[in-house]
Amino acid sequence: MWFITLQAFQDILRDYPDHLEANADSGSFNFVLEEYDEAIKCTSNLFGRNVTHIPYTYLARGYGAKGLYEKAAECLRYYLENVREEEEVYSQLALVYLCQANQNRALLEIEKSPKSGPNLSHLYAFGRILYCQEDFNEAETAFKDLSIIGINVIHNASSFSRHFTWLSW
């Protein structure tokens, strides 16, 4: 199934290399398949275009999975500075800084994030920062807040680890 879908995207991209949706979806599929070089190739074609945060976060995740944290941060900062501010992107940027063992910078990004109500990525990133700072009581509170809004952290750990492959547990 994956192969057929990826082949369809490749066919579209062969004829229309700048096709927005084909690049975004192909990048997403390749990320899930841990084909990070191909994911980066597809999603970097979207860099600088006024699209949703999703291709930017996949591009950053691809860089992060390869240990290229500064490139991941650069991509997310570009989005925040030139496209729009979104809580999800601040959370992703915080996780990048956390991967660089820069807990203070990670916390700064979380604090700058616009709040639109309970947000899974914000709570997860905030909990991870607090955990790394060995503030276990506050980290537990953040993770409990995840469950209050309908997420069972243990059950969804595989989903989180797939999205944050480059963030060690």
Side-chain angles (χ1 to χ4, degrees):
M1 178 71 162
W2 289 100
F3 176 76
I4 294 169
T5 304
L6 281 174
Q7 185 61 50
F9 289 135
Q10 290 171 353
D11 292 345
I12 293 169
L13 293 172
R14 183 183 58 248
D15 296 333
Y16 306 98
D18 293 329
H19 192 277
L20 184 75
E21 289 83 8
N23 274 298
D25 291 342
S26 182
S28 300
F29 273 95
N30 279 294
F31 178 81
V32 170
L33 294 173
E34 298 180 5
E35 296 290 340
Y36 302 121
D37 290 329
E38 191 62 29
I40 289 169
K41 177 183 166 195
C42 293
T43 51
S44 64
N45 288 337
L46 304 171
F47 197 79
R49 295 167 80 175
N50 189 9
V51 295
T52 69
H53 72 275
I54 294 169
Y56 287 85
T57 55
Y58 273 111
L59 180 58
R61 290 170 181 172
Y63 284 135
K66 294 177 62 74
L68 302 170
Y69 302 119
E70 193 49 47
K71 288 196 68 87
E74 176 185 318
C75 176
L76 296 170
R77 283 192 304 264
Y78 178 90
Y79 184 86
L80 291 169
E81 293 167 4
N82 297 293
V83 181
R84 72 184 63 83
E85 291 188 356
E86 290 188 37
E87 191 171 11
E88 171 74 22
V89 181
Y90 277 106
S91 299
Q92 293 290 318
L93 186 54
L95 290 172
V96 170
Y97 290 130
L98 198 56
C99 287
Q100 294 175 310
N102 191 340
Q103 298 165 9
N104 292 334
R105 185 82 188 261
L107 194 55
L108 241 159
E109 294 304 328
I110 285 293
E111 290 171 350
K112 287 194 301 188
S113 173
K115 307 296 183 288
S116 59
N119 181 289
L120 301 178
S121 61
H122 174 87
L123 289 169
Y124 176 77
F126 187 57
R128 290 294 299 168
I129 293 166
L130 293 169
Y131 180 84
C132 290
Q133 291 178 330
E134 298 184 7
D135 189 346
F136 301 120
N137 290 331
E138 290 299 317
E140 181 180 20
T141 300
F143 289 127
K144 281 182 179 177
D145 288 346
L146 278 173
S147 64
I148 289 171
I149 57 174
I151 293 297
N152 180 325
V153 175
I154 307 243
H155 175 69
N156 288 299
S158 65
S159 172
F160 280 121
S161 66
R162 187 170 56 250
H163 291 295
F164 303 107
T165 304
W166 38 277
L167 182 63
S168 63
W169 287 86

